[in-house]
Amino acid sequence: MSGTADATEAGTATVPASGWDEPEPALCTSALRKTYGGTVAVADVDLSVPRGAVLGMLGPNGSGKTTTIRMLLGLTEPTAGSVELLGHRVPEQTGRALPFVGALVEGPGFHPFLSGRRNLLRCAAMEPALFGADVRGAVQQALERVGLAGAAERRYRSYSLGMKQRLGLAAALLVPRELVVLDEPTNGLDPAGTREVRRIIAELHANGTTVVVSSHLLSEVEATCTHAAVLQGGTLIAQGELKTLLESGGPNLLVSVSDNESGLEALRQLGVPARVEGGELRVELSGTDSPEVIAALVRAGVGVYEARRDRAGLEEIFARLTEGET
Ligand SMILES: Nc1ncnc2c1ncn2[C@@H]1O[C@H](COP(=O)(O)OP(=O)(O)OP(=O)(O)O)[C@@H](O)[C@H]1O
């Protein structure tokens, strides 16, 4: 559907109704719900992931990330609600979407007695995009991309957790995908492996692939994602562009002072929220501005060495969002 206003020969312009030029999301859910007996694992989640986004799915342990991801891919049946994956209904039309979706989810079904390479060759044999193509070449390329080429002939069961993760990632990346879903991809990886996953996500993003990645690591989401969805106790409590989410945190002032405790006391009296972080004071500037803060500190006899504005980090916003909820 064209998103532009077309001038017709008669000179009238056809202006699309608001929202018509919004491209269809790569995936969306409506009132998606999963219960296990009396446990509500996922509670009426309406998630929308724009095409080309890298969405970080955040949430504490047990908040429903894996269950949501499994329902997105048709691996777990929802108790209620619906999923659309690349425009196809899940589970009814999952088969139409799956060739364009690469996924790394818990417990990929690799054969323990086969080598990493042979396992990937088995996966490749089931990829429609590789029918009649250079399957061995595709497997070698995927192994190299995840840094596993040197261990390709070893049996899967001898792999470390990190190597297993890498093989799962290689299987997800065997052919170019429209959407890649990664559940805790850095689980078990060393810092070098974590950096490689970041690089791979950045590469996918640059190629226009939509990525959904679940993580506990806020710093990782902050570094790699364009969008975030925050789950808490099965409920989606925030979603949207990461930039917007970060802006919602409001400005902070970082102040290096002669005495943190006296500084905190002065700010408490001013009614301004502040805490010590990294040896300096992090002051929330919601109802006040920097000069007032600095003046209050100076009045209280606290030496101010340096002050600079900063944004609230994802960690602070996440803590505020999830505070007090269960
Ligand atoms: N097969 C199952 N049977 C019963 N309860 C389940 C099952 N799978 C998940 N749950 C429960 O559903 C809730 C959500 O679990 P889920 O694994 O989706 O969370 P998560 O956010 O992925 O957690 P983690 O970060 O620890 O992997 C938890 O309370 C969990 O115990």
Side-chain angles (χ1 to χ4, degrees):
M1 192 179 306
S2 164
T4 55
D6 293 326
T8 65
E9 279 178 15
T12 50
T14 320
V15 181
S18 163
W20 275 24
D21 53 355
E22 285 285 311
E24 185 184 65
L27 73 82
C28 61
T29 72
S30 175
L32 190 64
R33 186 177 184 83
K34 180 73 184 179
T35 54
Y36 292 103
T39 306
V40 181
V42 175
D44 308 325
V45 162
D46 295 321
L47 177 71
S48 179
V49 184
R51 295 221 177 219
V54 178
L55 177 117
M57 198 180 281
L58 285 167
N61 289 132
S63 55
K65 302 182 295 293
T66 298
T67 307
T68 302
I69 284 177
R70 293 184 68 83
M71 288 192 285
L72 297 179
L73 298 168
L75 298 171
T76 298
E77 204 179 323
T79 308
S82 62
V83 175
E84 267 198 27
L85 188 60
L86 299 175
H88 300 291
R89 283 196 315 279
V90 176
E92 299 87 340
Q93 305 174 320
T94 316
R96 288 198 209 160
L98 282 189
F100 307 99
V101 180
L104 172 68
V105 285
E106 266 169 41
F110 290 123
H111 197 296
F113 292 101
L114 293 180
S115 68
R117 186 188 303 280
R118 293 210 71 82
N119 266 300
L120 276 194
L121 284 166
R122 280 162 57 111
C123 298
M126 290 181 280
E127 289 288 352
L130 289 176
F131 292 167
D134 175 13
V135 172
R136 295 203 152 263
V139 165
Q140 179 63 22
Q141 214 175 19
L143 285 164
E144 283 170 9
R145 197 166 176 194
V146 301
L148 209 55
E153 315 316 328
R154 282 174 50 185
R155 284 182 174 179
Y156 178 76
R157 70 167 186 170
S158 74
Y159 279 3
S160 66
L161 178 58
M163 292 163 89
K164 288 176 177 166
Q165 283 289 92
R166 285 168 195 254
L167 193 68
L169 200 53
L173 302 175
L174 266 174
V175 295
R177 311 287 191 181
E178 283 185 36
L179 172 69
V180 171
V181 181
L182 307 170
D183 190 13
E184 301 274 357
T186 53
N187 193 16
L189 293 184
D190 54 21
T194 301
R195 276 198 300 278
E196 279 169 42
V197 168
R198 277 189 193 181
R199 179 185 51 76
I200 288 169
I201 291 175
E203 238 175 66
L204 290 167
H205 180 49
N207 292 334
T209 305
T210 309
V211 182
V212 173
V213 53
S214 79
S215 181
H216 291 107
L217 302 175
L218 301 179
S219 56
E220 197 163 288
V221 168
E222 215 165 344
T224 52
C225 296
T226 60
H227 290 65
V230 183
L231 280 165
Q232 170 79 1
T235 302
L236 188 62
I237 56 172
Q239 71 171 319
E241 265 190 273
L242 191 62
K243 192 162 60 85
T244 315
L245 198 63
L246 288 170
E247 279 166 6
S248 76
N252 281 189
L253 188 69
L254 293 174
V255 201
S256 172
V257 294
S258 55
D259 177 2
N260 285 337
E261 280 316 307
S262 313
L264 280 180
E265 181 50 35
L267 295 171
R268 219 176 350 255
Q269 285 182 18
L270 190 66
V272 175
R275 65 176 195 284
V276 177
E277 184 185 290
E280 52 190 1
L281 299 181
R282 179 176 279 278
V283 187
E284 289 182 32
L285 294 178
S286 36
T288 181
D289 210 351
S290 316
E292 262 183 89
V293 169
I294 294 166
L297 290 168
V298 172
R299 267 199 312 274
V302 179
V304 175
Y305 297 124
E306 191 189 348
R308 61 191 192 282
R309 283 173 80 96
D310 189 32
R311 286 238 161 259
L314 192 54
E315 196 164 336
E316 185 181 328
I317 294 165
F318 184 74
R320 207 177 302 153
L321 280 170
T322 55
E323 224 160 59
E325 305 204 24
T326 53

